[in-house]
Each structure stands twice: as C-alpha cells, then as structure tokens.
C-alpha cells in the first residue's frame, strides 16, 4: 500500500516547482530524509528510480541542487552532493 516511487517523485516535483516559482530569487534550505534525497539525486542525474544507489547519503551531509524554472518544467543542476567537511571537527564527546 505504499506510494509508488514515480508518484512520490511527481509530488516532490510539484512542491519544488511551487517553491522555485515563489522563491525564484532566493536560496531555500530544505531538510529531509534519505528516501527523498535518493529520489532528488536520481532525478537530477537522470538515473532510474530503482536499482542500487550510486551516491552516498551520509547522515548530516549537505547536498546542493540548483533548480530553476524552464517553461513549465524544472531545470535540475547538481552542484554538490554528500558534503561532510562541516563535520570533520565535530565534538567526540561520546568517547570518554
């Protein structure tokens, strides 16, 4: 009974279209989980929605997508993916 991946992607694209049209001159930060990130990566790179992942989705990783309006479609550009440099000097307070 789960939502099909194609339906989920279409729903995401509609939401991103709305955001891109409302915030065309602004950077927007979205926080989401790995399932959504996987679909966004696959869409941006033109990959099939199923099959093994070919990109990491690290916890607390940063991902940059440039989405712009192109007629009635979104133009997708992957700028950076799975960046974790901001975590390199993170506290290790769990190690005593």
């Amino acid at each position: 009974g789960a939502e099909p991946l194609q339906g989920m992607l279409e729903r995401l694209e509609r939401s991103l279209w709305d955001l891109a049209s409302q915030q065309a001159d602004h950077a927007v930060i979205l926080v989401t989980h790995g399932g959504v990130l996987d679909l966004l990566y696959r869409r941006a790179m033109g990959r099939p929605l199923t099959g093994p992942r070919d990109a990491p989705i690290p916890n607390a990783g940063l991902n940059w997508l440039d989405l712009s309006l192109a007629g009635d479609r979104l133009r997708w550009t992957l700028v950076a993916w799975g960046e974790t440099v901001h975590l390199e000097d993170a506290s290790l307070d769990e190690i005593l």
Side-chain angles (χ1 to χ4, degrees), residues 25-53:
D25 296 328
H26 298 91
V28 176
I29 296 173
L30 300 175
V31 178
T32 190
H33 61 84
V36 170
L37 289 172
D38 183 42
L39 285 179
L40 296 178
Y41 176 85
R42 290 171 188 264
R43 174 60 182 85
M45 299 302 292
R47 304 282 199 273
L49 297 183
T50 59
R53 284 186 183 157

Side-chain angles (χ1 to χ4, degrees), residues 30-32 37 56-64 80-87:
L30 300 175
V31 178
T32 190
L37 289 172
I57 301 178
N59 287 334
L62 301 176
N63 309 289
W64 282 268
W81 194 263
E83 297 288 327
T84 57
V85 69
H86 62 286
L87 300 172

